């Protein structure tokens, strides 16, 4: 099946960082993307094994062209004048990826599978960093798992183990200038290996009730990561950079229960809770700073880890309210019931003595009335 995609965007920003040290920066750029792809997938079942063994193969070809026009204005600071900068850049990306899955129905309620796949993420350009591009990311994945139903489909258990191997992995990094200006960019970190597992259990212990529990684990940081260097020395970051935006452990539990069916509608209670442990929003923060003697030196900043958190949400609904036409429901809901003050992003501006964090929404609640006709 062929696919085509096109996108154009324009960006115009005038920002003042660490006034008056960094000055006012006028940044304009235009991004253009043109992509096309073709893919196919098919499954063959082996009649000699009573159709219990299935082989699925998928193929995809992708071709992309990306271009950017930079137009950065001059910047005046107490340290001098940075001249205006303009440039036009473009790049082509090509990829052929595939996947293959072997699945076997051990019984009518138990399926085991092995899957191998390759993946691709195109490169591009960092618009807010002048003349700064990054290459495509390639990934190989191996996964083994089972899917099963038990006790007349009242219990479902799914689990899998997986491993990823990345080449030129794209990751977000932060560089901080001596004046405190933080620049977030996408770079190619190099090689990374990750492995982990997932377990999902859902059960219907009584009529009109479903309870679910899920657990996921992921391990691994970077095998290769770009060094931070000045003219003479470098900080080797292979063992210092950490995996970002993915806590090692995560647990989710939910309850969905329709506890009363009356003449005015069905009363339903839904609760869900998600816990995750400490994680890093940025995997590496560095700069080349003044050494106080007229020279420069590379420096790695301490990461600002995000705290572990437990978020509980709930909804009490009256559904299927009798009306002449359509469907009417009323719901009272609350998110972050425990009012946990959890951070979602943070940067260590150590050159200025600051650590900044963004936080998730506090406890919120409301009333929804929905009518479908």
């Amino acid at each position: 099946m062929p696919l085509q995609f096109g996108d154009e965007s324009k960006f115009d920003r005038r920002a003042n960082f660490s006034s008056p040290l960094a000055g006012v920066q006028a940044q304009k750029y235009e991004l253009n993307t043109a992509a096309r792809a073709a893919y196919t997938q098919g499954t063959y079942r082996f009649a000699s094994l009573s159709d219990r063994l299935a082989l699925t193969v998928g193929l995809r070809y992708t071709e992309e062209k990306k271009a950017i026009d930079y137009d950065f204005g001059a910047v005046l600071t107490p340290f001098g004048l940075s001249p205006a900068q303009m440039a036009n850049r473009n790049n082509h990306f090509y990829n052929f990826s595939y996947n293959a899955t072997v699945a076997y129905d051990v019984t009518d309620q138990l399926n085991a599978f092995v899957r191998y796949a390759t993946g691709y993420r195109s490169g591009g350009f960092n618009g807010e960093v002048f003349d700064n591009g990054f290459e495509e990311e390639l990934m190989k994945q191996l996964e083994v798992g089972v899917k099963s139903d038990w006790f007349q489909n009242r219990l479902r258990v799914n689990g899998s183990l997986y491993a990823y191997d990345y080449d030129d992995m794209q990751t977000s990094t932060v560089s901080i200038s001596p004046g405190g200006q933080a620049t977030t960019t996408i770079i190619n970190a190099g090689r990374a290996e990750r492995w982990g597992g997932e377990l999902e259990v859902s059960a219907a212990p009584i009529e009109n009730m479903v309870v679910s529990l899920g657990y996921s684990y992921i391990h691994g940081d970077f095998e290769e990561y770009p060094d931070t260097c000045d003219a003479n020395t470098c900080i080797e970051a292979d063992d210092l950079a950490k995996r970002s935006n993915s806590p090692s452990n995560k647990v989710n539990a939910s309850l969905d229960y329709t506890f009363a069916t009356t003449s005015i509608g069905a009363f339903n209670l839904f609760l869900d809770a998600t816990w995750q442990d400490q994680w890093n929003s940025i995997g590496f923060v560095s700069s080349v700073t003044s050494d106080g003697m007229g020279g420069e030196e590379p420096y790695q900043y301490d990461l600002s880890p995000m705290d572990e958190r437990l978020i509980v949400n709930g909804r009490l609904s009256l559904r299927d309210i009798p009306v002449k036409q359509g469907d009417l429901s009323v719901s009272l809901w609350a998110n972050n019931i425990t009012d946990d003050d959890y951070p979602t992003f943070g940067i260590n501006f150590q050159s200025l003595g600051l650590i900044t964090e963004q936080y998730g929404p506090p406890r919120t609640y409301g009333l929804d009335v929905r009518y479908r006709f």
Side-chain angles (χ1 to χ4, degrees):
M1 178 180 292
L3 299 170
Q4 286 190 324
F5 171 80
D7 181 71
E8 296 182 2
S9 61
K10 296 182 179 181
F11 186 89
D12 187 347
R13 184 181 77 171
R14 290 163 177 80
N16 192 333
F17 297 99
S18 305
S19 179
L21 299 179
V24 178
Q25 297 185 335
Q27 296 177 333
K28 295 181 181 180
Y29 59 87
E30 296 184 13
L31 284 167
N32 293 276
T33 300
R36 56 184 178 180
Y39 74 93
T40 184
Q41 180 168 301
T43 298
Y44 178 78
R45 290 190 172 272
F46 293 82
S48 58
L49 295 173
S50 303
D51 290 338
R52 289 189 175 274
L53 180 65
L55 172 63
T56 301
V57 176
L59 306 171
R60 180 185 176 98
Y61 174 76
T62 305
E63 181 178 323
E64 296 180 83
K65 180 180 179 181
K66 294 188 176 182
I68 188 170
D69 295 334
Y70 291 99
D71 183 7
F72 284 18
V75 181
L76 178 63
T77 74
F79 307 102
L81 175 67
S82 298
Q85 297 174 297
M86 299 181 67
N88 307 107
R89 299 289 183 262
N90 63 77
N91 205 346
H92 285 78
F93 304 97
Y94 308 89
N95 176 262
F96 177 77
S97 56
Y98 59 91
N99 69 79
T101 303
V102 177
Y104 184 70
D105 294 327
V106 182
T107 68
D108 291 342
Q109 286 76 40
L110 176 62
N111 175 273
F113 66 91
V114 178
R115 182 175 187 266
Y116 181 81
T118 62
Y120 155 80
R121 181 184 294 177
S122 68
F125 299 93
N126 290 297
E128 297 183 31
V129 182
F130 183 77
D131 201 8
N132 189 280
F134 52 92
E135 296 300 320
E136 67 265 29
E137 170 187 292
L138 302 175
M139 184 268 290
K140 301 174 184 176
Q141 178 206 21
L142 178 64
E143 181 181 11
V144 296
V146 295
K147 298 180 179 181
S148 62
D149 292 313
W150 305 85
F151 306 113
Q152 297 180 335
N153 297 328
R154 299 186 71 88
L155 175 66
R156 172 167 293 175
V157 181
N158 299 331
S160 67
L161 297 173
Y162 59 83
Y164 298 100
D165 190 340
Y166 294 89
D167 284 324
D168 291 327
M169 183 179 185
Q170 295 173 10
T171 188
S172 178
T173 186
V174 173
S175 299
I176 299 177
S177 71
Q181 178 182 343
T183 302
T184 303
T185 57
I186 297 174
I187 65 168
N188 293 104
R191 288 195 61 247
E193 295 179 355
R194 309 280 166 82
W195 62 268
E198 296 180 345
L199 178 65
E200 299 176 353
V201 180
S202 60
I206 61 176
E207 187 176 358
N208 297 325
M209 176 186 287
V210 176
V211 292
S212 300
L213 179 67
Y215 171 71
S216 64
Y217 174 78
I218 186 169
H219 174 83
D221 292 311
F222 292 93
E223 307 302 312
E224 299 175 1
Y225 198 93
D227 298 339
T228 298
C229 302
D230 64 5
N232 301 310
T233 59
C234 291
I235 295 176
E236 296 183 359
D238 294 353
D239 296 328
L240 300 175
K242 301 300 180 182
R243 185 183 72 250
S244 61
N245 294 319
S246 53
S248 296
N249 297 278
K250 189 173 182 179
V251 179
N252 176 261
S254 67
L255 166 71
D256 190 349
Y257 182 33
T258 301
F259 57 88
T261 301
T262 70
S263 60
I264 62 171
F267 289 89
N268 176 267
L269 175 65
F270 180 80
L271 294 172
D272 75 88
T274 301
W275 173 86
Q276 62 184 49
D277 62 12
Q278 182 176 285
W279 56 285
N280 294 301
S281 60
I282 295 291
F284 193 74
V285 183
S286 64
S287 70
V288 178
T289 64
S290 171
D291 62 5
M293 296 181 291
E296 294 181 331
E297 61 180 355
Y299 188 83
Q300 181 216 355
Y301 294 83
D302 294 333
L303 297 179
S304 179
M306 304 292 98
D307 300 334
E308 68 174 88
R309 66 187 188 223
L310 173 64
I311 306 300
V312 181
N313 305 317
R315 178 180 290 268
L316 178 63
S317 302
L318 176 60
R319 304 183 306 197
D320 302 326
I321 300 173
V323 290
K324 289 184 178 181
Q325 287 185 331
D327 179 28
L328 177 63
S329 64
V330 178
S331 300
L332 179 65
W333 56 267
N335 294 332
N336 192 8
I337 294 174
T338 60
D339 202 23
D340 191 353
D341 55 343
Y342 60 96
T344 60
F345 185 79
I347 298 179
N348 184 347
F349 293 88
Q350 194 158 328
S351 61
L352 297 178
L354 298 174
I355 296 178
T356 66
E357 289 185 341
Q358 296 177 351
Y359 282 76
R363 180 192 298 122
T364 56
Y365 48 87
L367 179 68
D368 290 345
V369 178
R370 298 182 180 180
Y371 177 60
R372 297 191 180 113
F373 55 92

